[in-house]
Amino acid sequence: MKVQALYFDGQTAADRQVSVSLDAAGLQFSGDGITTQTWRYDGLGMVERYHRAHPFRLTHTDQQGARLILSDDALAQELIARAPQLKGGFSLKGQGRTLAWVCGIAGSFMLAGYLVLQMAPQTLAFVLPDSWRERVGDQVETSLTEGAPLCTGPAGMSALSAMVARLADGNPDLPPLSVHVYNIPIMNAFAMPGERIVITGELIRRANRPEQVAGVLAHEVGHVLKRHSEAQLVRATGLQILLSVMTGGGGDTISTVASVATMLSYTREAEAEADDAGLALLERSAIDPMGLKEFFEIILAEEGKPSTGAWRKISSAIATHPGTEDRIKKIHPLPDNIAARPVMTGDQWQALKKICS
Ligand SMILES: [Zn+2]
């Protein structure tokens, strides 16, 4: 199988069409002015987790800064079969599995109860198995987006992908993220278990420049890094979450949570943590943090307006009222020694604006 892909060498800004195939040695590609290269399977990494019909952005340990972007699902799946690290999940996998195994063997409510009592939800959030977080994240995403259309404009998705890559470039420790845009008529964004982030189409439509979207995205990545949504789940469900990890379930936990939206409305402390982590990310990526400030100001102007009926339950998750003014005050321009670099080109921004149309 030979398919077309895009290659950035990490040195020049231009992307180049290459033709990609898989063989025993690794992923091979060549193209105009690019002699055949082989990326060994074990050195492959990803910027974002693979999702069907979304561009799959790959990195390689042998070629820092280079990116290969696959848009062919069959090839992506075959590749994941050969390079299992691309399946997703990035840390504590073993520990999560051990926890599930120990719990399963013991089959004991007492052990689960002990863990819940001994470990703070924030700590417990870091030992939940990745497979479980992925499953639960999927269910939360489905429940929260309530059948709203997923926005898949190819140029828009590619621009979004470039934005995620910009954040990842300054922050090599960032886990692979799934960032999806849904055509929902309110301005909001959410972080969910399993490194998932949802942004509404309305938020992108209302933004005046890409730095505003990048600011919100960085804030949500802050929630992801701190595993706030997982911790909220632990708080909301207590023992049930451990039972559901033991039995390999997931959906049961979610359906017993009174409201997914309640689960995702964080405390002011958690919001402040996400702001701090997000601002740190923006600085390391040399992205102007004033975009986040501008976005908060847009939200502030909206507060107090009645929210749209059907989406009421998710209409206030970004701006935890009150406190937006305090959060705005914490945001300052980049220090003088860091020159802001644009998040994307003008064309990419126009494409992102149209991702839902
Ligand atoms: Zn938040």
Side-chain angles (χ1 to χ4, degrees), residues 207-221:
N208 306 309
R209 59 186 188 118
E211 283 73 12
Q212 294 175 354
V213 179
V216 171
L217 182 61
H219 168 86
E220 297 306 326
V221 173

Side-chain angles (χ1 to χ4, degrees), residues 79-347:
L79 185 63
I80 290 169
R82 291 174 187 240
Q85 76 271 22
L86 300 178
K87 220 178 264 170
F90 67 103
S91 67
L92 294 166
K93 225 181 186 130
Q95 284 169 53
R97 207 174 288 137
T98 310
L99 173 67
W101 183 78
V102 169
C103 290
I105 294 292
S108 147
F109 284 79
M110 275 177 67
L111 176 60
Y114 175 81
L115 283 172
V116 169
L117 290 175
Q118 292 301 310
M119 296 172 86
Q122 197 56 61
T123 313
L124 208 48
F126 280 89
V127 295
L128 293 167
D130 287 344
S131 59
W132 186 91
R133 296 192 306 115
E134 175 65 19
R135 204 160 53 234
V136 167
D138 192 48
Q139 284 153 354
V140 172
E141 181 169 336
T142 305
S143 153
L144 211 56
T145 52
E146 288 186 312
L150 180 66
C151 301
T152 54
M157 286 206 297
S158 163
L160 183 66
S161 200
M163 184 182 277
V164 175
R166 262 307 305 276
L167 277 177
D169 280 344
N171 305 280
D173 303 336
L174 215 63
L177 304 164
S178 301
V179 183
H180 293 161
V181 178
Y182 284 85
N183 202 358
I184 293 175
I186 59 157
M187 278 192 298
N188 217 333
F190 316 90
M192 288 156 291
E195 289 79 46
R196 279 165 188 261
I197 293 170
V198 162
I199 301 176
T200 66
E202 182 69 7
L203 187 150
I204 290 174
R205 275 190 291 272
R206 297 282 297 277
N208 306 309
R209 59 186 188 118
E211 283 73 12
Q212 294 175 354
V213 179
V216 171
L217 182 61
H219 168 86
E220 297 306 326
V221 173
H223 283 305
V224 163
L225 293 174
K226 303 283 178 185
R227 299 223 180 154
H228 285 149
S229 63
E230 284 91 343
Q232 281 287 80
L233 255 175
V234 172
R235 267 183 215 104
T237 68
L239 276 182
Q240 271 180 11
I241 203 165
L242 284 166
L243 292 175
S244 122
V245 170
M246 283 187 246
T247 57
D252 310 349
T253 313
I254 299 305
S255 60
T256 53
V257 176
S259 151
V260 170
T262 310
M263 191 188 84
L264 295 179
S265 57
Y266 303 118
T267 60
R268 284 179 75 165
E269 289 71 28
E271 291 301 345
E273 263 184 23
D275 284 344
D276 292 347
L279 290 171
L281 285 176
L282 291 171
E283 184 171 324
R284 285 201 296 271
S285 308
I287 296 173
D288 180 11
M290 300 313 270
L292 180 61
K293 180 174 169 163
E294 291 154 17
F295 184 79
F296 279 145
E297 283 161 353
I298 297 175
I299 292 244
L300 209 55
E302 292 277 306
E303 275 181 8
K305 284 190 195 166
S307 47
T308 324
W311 298 100
R312 209 189 145 79
K313 70 171 189 183
I314 59 166
S315 62
S316 64
I318 269 197
T320 308
H321 184 99
T324 312
E325 287 97 338
D326 292 343
R327 292 169 68 185
I328 289 179
K329 279 193 207 130
K330 281 198 311 193
I331 305 173
H332 303 290
L334 288 176
D336 289 342
N337 59 338
I338 302 176
R341 286 187 290 120
V343 171
M344 52 176 64
T345 65
D347 285 351

